[in-house]
């Protein structure tokens, strides 16, 4: 018997429909890219959310067809001993965008409001101090000319469980399991309370949070890209026509014969 569809559940998105819409949106991202370069705009996009919420896949969909010199992805490792002694946000500031750049943070300074707080990697006082200062810092960033866009990916309990189980058994996904992933299952409500505290203080008019439901990965990616494009007043930049130059025959020689005897990769496929 076919599984009964929930009243709130949308019909399955067909692959061809998804790929067609994704291609259209990625083309718009390319137009956005040219506009950002031409106008010298500085844009920063922060991705946060529960473990297994699909941040990596969403970021990959955004950056798949654009230049990494314009769309820079920043995913910082755990801080070194030296970085732990710095002002907390200091190591993130070094990666802020210059003119003509869009920087995407795959997790950010909000680690302090989430995993660091829940797992005890920071003190309660450090957590309180972060929440107190964060809105002020973000206002300074926005007043300085950077457009700051923040996404929180929200995955349901059942879907997070399913994704974690898949990571445990699938060798192609096992690398996604970090030492903090599995404890996040047992501390679901601790993370929920940390999220609520964070949103209460940092969901401001200057830098609001945009919550993205991500149980359906394909729909979440399309929704995110469409929403991101709607937040930036870009226009299509007129490009000069490109004409492919003909190969010159001056100095012509057999440039394949000169490769004879070199080490080639075996053509096994």
């Amino acid at each position: 018997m076919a599984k009964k569809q929930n009243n709130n559940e949308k019909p399955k998105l067909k692959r061809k429909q998804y790929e067609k819409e994704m291609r259209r949106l990625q083309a718009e991202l390319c137009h956005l890219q040219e506009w950002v370069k031409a106008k010298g705009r500085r844009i920063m996009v922060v991705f946060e959310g529960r473990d297994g919420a699909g941040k990596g896949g969403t970021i990959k969909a955004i950056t798949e067809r654009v230049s990494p010199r314009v769309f820079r992805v920043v995913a910082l490792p755990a801080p070194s001993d030296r970085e732990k002694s710095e002002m907390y946000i200091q190591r993130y500031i070094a990666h802020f965008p210059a003119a003509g750049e869009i920087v995407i943070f795959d997790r950010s300074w909000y680690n302090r409001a989430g995993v660091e707080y829940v797992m005890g990697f920071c003190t309660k006082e450090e957590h309180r101090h972060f929440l107190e200062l964060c809105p002020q810092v973000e206002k300074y960033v926005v007043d300085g000319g950077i457009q700051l866009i923040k996404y929180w990916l929200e995955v349901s309990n059942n879907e997070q469980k399913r994704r974690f189980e898949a990571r445990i058994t699938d060798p192609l996904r096992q690398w996604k399991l970090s030492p903090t992933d599995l404890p996040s299952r047992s501390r679901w409500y601790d993370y929920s309370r940390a999220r609520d505290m964070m949103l209460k203080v940092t969901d401001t008019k200057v830098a609001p949070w945009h919550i993205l439901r991500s149980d359906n990965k394909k729909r979440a990616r399309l929704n995110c890209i469409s929403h991101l494009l709607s937040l930036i007043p870009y226009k299509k930049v007129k490009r000069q026509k490109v004409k492919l130059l003909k190969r010159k025959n001056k100095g012509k020689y057999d440039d394949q014969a000169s490769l004879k005897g070199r080490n080639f990769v075996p053509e096994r496929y």
Side-chain angles (χ1 to χ4, degrees):
M1 184 180 289
K3 183 180 178 181
K4 188 176 180 181
Q5 185 174 309
N6 190 305
N7 290 333
N8 297 324
E9 185 181 341
K10 292 185 178 181
K12 186 176 180 181
L13 187 65
K14 294 182 179 179
R15 177 177 289 275
K16 285 187 177 180
Q17 182 185 357
Y18 168 75
E19 291 177 349
K20 181 180 179 180
E21 186 62 11
M22 179 59 73
R23 183 176 179 82
R24 184 188 73 81
L25 290 173
Q26 288 178 333
E28 289 299 318
L29 287 172
C30 290
H31 295 320
L32 168 63
Q33 172 178 258
E34 295 305 310
W35 180 82
V36 167
K37 286 164 53 180
K39 297 295 183 180
R41 292 293 296 269
R42 293 177 291 158
I43 299 172
M44 191 156 58
V45 187
V46 169
F47 278 90
E48 293 288 345
R50 295 183 184 276
D51 292 318
K55 295 180 291 297
T58 303
I59 292 170
K60 183 178 179 181
I62 293 172
T63 59
E64 190 174 20
R65 300 292 183 179
V66 292
S67 170
R69 289 181 290 276
V70 178
F71 280 78
R72 288 197 295 110
V73 178
V74 177
L76 298 184
S80 64
D81 289 340
R82 183 183 186 280
E83 288 171 331
K84 288 177 182 178
S85 70
E86 296 174 345
M87 182 177 67
Y88 177 69
I89 202 172
Q90 186 172 335
R91 71 186 188 125
Y92 296 100
I93 292 175
H95 299 277
F96 281 16
E101 289 184 342
I102 300 174
V103 173
I104 298 176
F105 278 94
D106 184 354
R107 293 203 179 277
S108 66
W109 49 95
Y110 280 102
N111 276 341
R112 176 135 295 180
V115 62
E116 289 190 14
Y117 174 66
V118 174
M119 298 298 292
F121 299 151
C122 70
T123 65
K124 289 184 178 181
E125 176 58 25
E126 287 172 331
H127 175 253
R128 185 200 62 76
H129 190 57
F130 170 80
L131 291 180
E132 181 182 314
L133 291 181
C134 187
Q136 300 175 43
V137 173
E138 290 182 349
K139 185 178 186 306
Y140 178 78
V141 169
V142 173
D143 288 346
I146 294 177
Q147 183 174 359
L148 175 58
I149 301 169
K150 302 186 299 189
Y151 287 107
W152 174 271
L153 274 65
E154 184 68 15
V155 65
S156 68
N157 175 44
N158 289 337
E159 181 61 17
Q160 186 193 59
K161 179 175 180 291
R162 188 194 68 77
R163 291 178 186 178
F164 277 8
E165 289 173 343
R167 291 180 182 183
I168 291 171
T169 58
D170 188 346
L172 298 180
R173 302 181 190 181
Q174 287 172 353
W175 64 271
K176 292 184 176 182
L177 281 174
S178 73
T180 60
D181 282 347
L182 295 180
S184 70
R185 282 296 303 153
S186 61
R187 300 191 179 193
W188 173 274
Y189 290 112
D190 291 335
Y191 275 96
S192 294
R193 291 186 182 93
R195 175 204 62 195
D196 294 345
M197 283 190 283
M198 179 195 75
L199 292 175
K200 184 178 181 180
V201 177
T202 63
D203 187 12
T204 63
K205 288 184 179 180
V206 171
W209 280 101
H210 305 284
I211 299 175
L212 178 67
R213 295 282 186 188
S214 62
D215 275 17
N216 187 307
K217 289 182 178 181
K218 289 180 181 178
R219 291 188 184 278
R221 292 165 189 170
L222 295 176
N223 287 332
C224 184
I225 297 175
S226 175
H227 182 263
L228 176 64
L229 290 168
S230 74
L231 295 179
I232 305 170
Y234 72 99
K235 294 181 180 180
K236 191 174 180 179
V237 176
K238 189 175 181 180
R239 296 174 61 92
Q240 290 184 339
K241 289 186 177 180
V242 177
K243 185 178 180 180
L244 186 64
L245 299 176
K246 292 182 178 179
R247 184 181 64 176
K248 294 181 179 179
N249 286 324
K250 185 179 180 180
K252 180 180 177 182
Y253 74 106
D254 189 348
D255 58 355
Q256 291 302 303
S258 62
L259 295 175
K260 189 176 180 180
R262 301 292 181 186
N263 295 317
F264 280 84
V265 175
E267 296 184 4
R268 295 176 179 172
Y269 303 95

